Each structure stands twice: as C-alpha cells, then as structure tokens.
Amino acid sequence: MTAVQIPAPHRNTLGVVLRARELGIVIALALLVAVTAISNPRFLSGQSIRDILLNTAILAVLAVGQAVVVITRNIDLSVGSVLGLSAFTVGTLLQHNPGTPVILALLVGAMVGALCGVLNGVLVRYGQVPALVVTLGTLYVLRGVTYFWAGGSQINADELPPSFLNFGTAEIPWLVILAVVVLVVTAVVLRNYRVGRELYAMGSSPQAAQLAGIPVGRRTVGAFLVSGALAGVAGVLFAARFGTIDAAAGTGLELNVVAAVVVGGVAVFGGSGTVWGAALGALLLTTIGSALAVLEINQFWQQAIVGGLILLAIGADRLVAVRVAAGLKKRGSHVG
C-alpha cells in the first residue's frame, strides 16, 4: 500500500501578502512625501525630516512592543497610560535628582512599564480575562494613578537637567538610534530564537501550542512584560523629546499604536507579521500627521484616516485568512 503524502499548507501565501503590504506602505510613504513636498518644499527640509524621525521613534518603540503582544493573539490598550506613568515617574526622579544618568532614567522607565506589563499578563493568562477587557481597565486605572499623583501639576523643561533634555534634542538623534536598536533586537529574537517562534505558534493556535508543550502562560506574561517595558522606555523618550510632562501624557496614543501594528501587517488574529512592518506603520502614521499640518488640513482628519487604515488592514487580514482556509480545504478534499 502506497503512503499518501499530504500536501504542505500554503505557508507562503500569508507571508507574500504581508511583504506586499510592507511594500505598499513604502509606496504610500513615497507618494505622500512627493505630494506634500510639491505643495510645500519645506516638508523635505532637514529639520522637518528630523522632527518626523524623532516622533516616529517614540511611536515605533511602542509599536514594537505592541506587535509582540498582537502576534500572540492578544492586545495591549494600556500602552498610552503606561507611557504617561513612566514619563511622570522619570520626570519626578530627575526633578529631585538632577544628576541621574540618562541610562538610569531609561532603566527606571523600563521597570515601571515592566511592572504594568506583568500585571496585564497575569490578569490575562491566569485570571482568564480577555486582553481587550484587562488592558482597557488598566488603561483607566493607570491614568487615574498618574492624575492622582500629579494633582494637576506638570513638570516643565526648566526643571529637568540639561543632559537629559539634550538626549532628546542633540544633533545625534539618540531617540532614533535607540528605536532602531530596539527594533533590530526584537526582530532577531522573534525570527531566530525559539522563544520568538513559540510566540508565533501561540498566535496561530493557542490550543495546539499548549499540546506541543509550549509554556503558554509564561510566554503570555513575557509578551505583556515586553510591551510594558517598551512603553516605559517610550515614556522616557517622550519626556526627553518634549520636556513638559503632565498627567495627560500619552492620552489617546493607543489608537495610533494599534493602527501602526495592524497597518504594518501584524495580523490582528495573531500568528503572523513582523516588527519591521509595525515600525513602517509607525513611520507612515507620523508622516501623515506632519503632512496634514503642512498641507493645512484639519488635524481631526488624521483620526478618520487612522480609523480607516485599521479597518482596511483588518479586512485584508480576514480576506487572506478566508482564502488560505479555503485553499487548504480544497487541497484536503483531494487527498485520497
């Protein structure tokens, strides 16, 4: 009796689509920049490009952490509040200890964010509560803690040490360099290390990952820890970039973060996508915001554009998933 070889699934189908989406983002960026530059050549000035990259650095760090969570078929809506809490914590630390090194400020911000991330991960995994509900709750809880702590006050640039402010405004774009380091390290871990492949496996099928012996609980908590820690780092970058910190820092930022991730090709249903795409999505959204200002278009349109991009990305993911499933079913029906 001859053994029947079952055809391999179309693993490359989704990968091709996601790569096409990343290429689409690059094309959209090029067109956006070209149209805006024709309307106002100052858009391509050195200072304008520098501002876009510095602002993108903050959003990209948040998007990388969010991508790690979304790959596991979860979501973290608390990143904006974590950024605000981290920024105010580090700002207060520097206000009272002006000699604090920048590296220590980054570590403190990361620790604050990591604690928030672990809280989210534990509630999601061991509390058996959907991530959407948990992180929506912690979004408001953490924002409330920051408002209670701030008491209506704010930290101004003249209260922060010059060395810290220079970190965000120096000729050497330290924020961009740090964002690139975060991006490269995370991409390498997800692609080349076992823990990264396990995160993808969890997103593809949590039940199968559990049966395969993957420590789903620890990996879930770990993914939220990474997202929280990077949101904490982004809070430090926010403080260094803008200098003025109040309890409202990062409010509403979670929409842009989720948009950057899903537009960049990280499937909202989990199991596929790259942090490179998430970073490209962050660059696209930041450029859109800057272009609207240059073109003197009402900034409220940015929210409509972001929402539309999210719907388009989710629709594309769903269409691909349906076509892949249909293809696998058709092939399976021919196995004799």
Side-chain angles (χ1 to χ4, degrees):
M1 181 176 180
T2 305
V4 177
Q5 185 177 1
I6 299 177
H10 283 289
R11 292 188 212 170
N12 292 333
T13 303
L14 190 55
V16 169
V17 172
L18 296 180
R19 285 194 295 273
R21 187 186 298 178
E22 291 172 5
L23 177 60
I25 293 176
V26 174
I27 294 173
L29 267 170
L31 291 174
L32 178 63
V33 170
V35 170
T36 309
I38 291 172
S39 174
N40 189 337
R42 288 181 299 173
F43 185 68
L44 289 180
S45 68
Q47 185 58 47
S48 176
I49 294 174
R50 177 184 174 82
D51 288 340
I52 290 174
L53 291 178
L54 289 174
N55 292 336
T56 298
I58 299 172
L59 184 59
V61 170
L62 290 167
V64 168
Q66 185 74 244
V68 173
V69 171
V70 175
I71 284 170
T72 67
R73 201 180 287 192
N74 288 294
I75 194 168
D76 186 356
L77 296 180
S78 68
V79 290
S81 296
V82 174
L83 180 148
L85 179 60
S86 170
F88 199 82
T89 300
V90 171
T92 303
L93 171 67
L94 294 169
Q95 188 181 37
H96 295 94
N97 303 275
T100 302
V102 173
I103 186 66
L104 181 58
L106 288 168
L107 290 174
V108 170
M111 287 177 60
V112 171
L115 289 173
C116 297
V118 169
L119 173 64
N120 284 331
V122 168
L123 290 175
V124 168
R125 177 57 187 173
Y126 300 105
Q128 298 297 313
V129 182
L132 179 67
V133 176
V134 168
T135 57
L136 183 62
T138 53
L139 179 156
Y140 289 110
V141 169
L142 296 175
R143 184 65 64 187
V145 168
T146 308
Y147 270 105
F148 178 78
W149 185 8
S153 64
Q154 70 176 26
I155 300 171
N156 299 312
D158 59 2
E159 300 174 84
L160 298 174
S163 59
F164 180 71
L165 295 176
N166 288 338
F167 176 67
T169 58
E171 285 298 318
I172 301 175
W174 293 113
L175 272 62
V176 177
I177 293 172
L178 182 58
V180 170
V181 170
V182 167
L183 174 62
V184 171
V185 170
T186 308
V188 169
V189 171
L190 287 177
R191 181 178 178 82
N192 299 328
Y193 287 83
R194 178 177 177 178
V195 62
R197 308 319 301 170
E198 289 179 347
L199 293 178
Y200 280 103
M202 287 166 52
S204 298
S205 176
Q207 294 79 13
Q210 187 88 48
L211 292 173
I214 294 175
V216 174
R218 292 205 303 272
R219 294 290 180 260
T220 300
V221 175
F224 278 100
L225 185 152
V226 169
S227 178
L230 291 182
V233 170
V236 182
L237 302 187
F238 179 95
R241 169 82 175 118
F242 299 107
T244 301
I245 312 163
D246 59 22
T251 299
L253 196 55
E254 51 279 342
L255 174 63
N256 283 349
V257 176
V258 172
V261 170
V262 298
V263 168
V266 181
V268 73
F269 305 105
S272 64
T274 67
V275 292
W276 298 104
L280 278 174
L283 179 58
L284 175 63
L285 295 185
T286 305
T287 306
I288 287 173
S290 298
L292 291 179
V294 170
L295 297 173
E296 298 182 353
I297 298 175
N298 193 315
Q299 289 292 303
F300 287 112
W301 279 106
Q302 182 177 3
Q303 298 180 14
I305 293 171
V306 170
L309 288 174
I310 291 176
L311 292 176
L312 284 173
I314 293 176
D317 286 340
R318 192 59 189 161
L319 178 62
V320 171
V322 169
R323 292 191 64 179
V324 170
L328 292 174
K329 184 177 180 180
K330 184 178 180 180
R331 281 175 170 258
S333 66
H334 287 89
V335 176

